[in-house]
Amino acid sequence: MTSTPISSTPILRTVLVWSATVTAALLVVGGLVGYLVAGTDGLWSALAGVLIAAVFLGITAASILIANRWFGDALYVPIFFGIVMGGWILKFVVFLVVLFVLRDQPWIVGPVFFLALVASVLASLLIDVVVLLRMRVPHVSDVELPTDPDAGERTDGPGTAP
C-alpha cells in the first residue's frame, strides 16, 4: 500500500460531506412537507425515504474510499472491484429486503415516501455533478510514466536522427 492519496479520495470525501449536509436539509424539509400533507404518517414516510436514499447512496462513495486504501498494491484492481461490487450487491439485497418490509407498514404513505426517495436521489446526483465539475483533476491522474534511465533525450524513437 502507498501513503500517497489517490486523486478520487478528496472528491469522494467532498461528496460525502455535501451529501450529509443536503440529507439533513431534506430530512427537515421532507419531514415538514410530509407532515403537512399526511400528518404523522407522512412525516415518518418522508424521513424513511430520505434516510434510505442517503444510506444507499453513501455506501457507494464509502466503498470506493475503503477500496482506495489498497492503491499501489499489486492486487489493487481485484480488491477495488471486489469491494465496490460487493457493496453494490449488498445494497441491492438490503434494498429489496427494506422495500418488502416497508410495503406492508400501515404508517407508510406511498406517494410521500416515493417523492422523498426521488428527491434524495436527484439531490445526490446533483451533488455528484457539481463536485466533479468543480474539482480540478487532470484527465490522467495517479499514473507514473516511465523515465529514461540516462535522463537524456531518447534517440531510438520516431522522428529522431540516428
Side-chain angles (χ1 to χ4, degrees):
M1 288 189 269
T2 182
S3 63
T4 307
I6 192 165
S7 64
S8 64
T9 299
I11 295 170
L12 292 169
R13 285 186 182 147
T14 303
V15 165
L16 286 175
V17 169
W18 282 26
S19 294
T21 305
V22 169
T23 296
L26 284 173
L27 284 170
V28 171
V29 172
L32 180 63
V33 170
Y35 182 76
L36 293 174
V37 169
T40 307
D41 289 344
L43 167 73
W44 291 115
S45 297
L47 295 179
V50 171
L51 285 175
I52 288 170
V55 167
F56 285 100
L57 294 169
I59 288 174
T60 301
S63 68
I64 294 171
L65 282 172
I66 292 168
N68 279 346
R69 293 176 183 232
W70 281 271
F71 181 71
D73 189 288
L75 294 175
Y76 170 67
V77 173
I79 290 170
F80 179 87
F81 284 109
I83 290 172
V84 173
M85 294 287 288
W88 287 345
I89 291 169
L90 175 70
K91 283 190 334 182
F92 180 69
V93 170
V94 172
F95 185 72
L96 289 177
V97 169
V98 166
L99 286 183
F100 285 132
V101 168
L102 289 180
R103 75 176 173 180
D104 294 329
Q105 297 301 317
W107 52 270
I108 289 289
V109 179
V112 173
F113 176 80
F114 177 75
L115 290 175
L117 191 69
V118 169
S120 297
V121 170
L122 291 176
S124 175
L125 292 173
L126 183 64
I127 289 168
D128 291 347
V129 168
V130 170
V131 168
L132 290 175
L133 286 175
R134 290 187 175 186
M135 289 292 178
R136 300 205 181 254
V137 178
H139 293 289
V140 177
S141 63
D142 304 323
V143 175
E144 291 185 28
L145 299 176
T147 59
D148 192 5
D150 299 327
E153 291 187 33
R154 296 192 74 140
T155 58
D156 58 348
T160 58

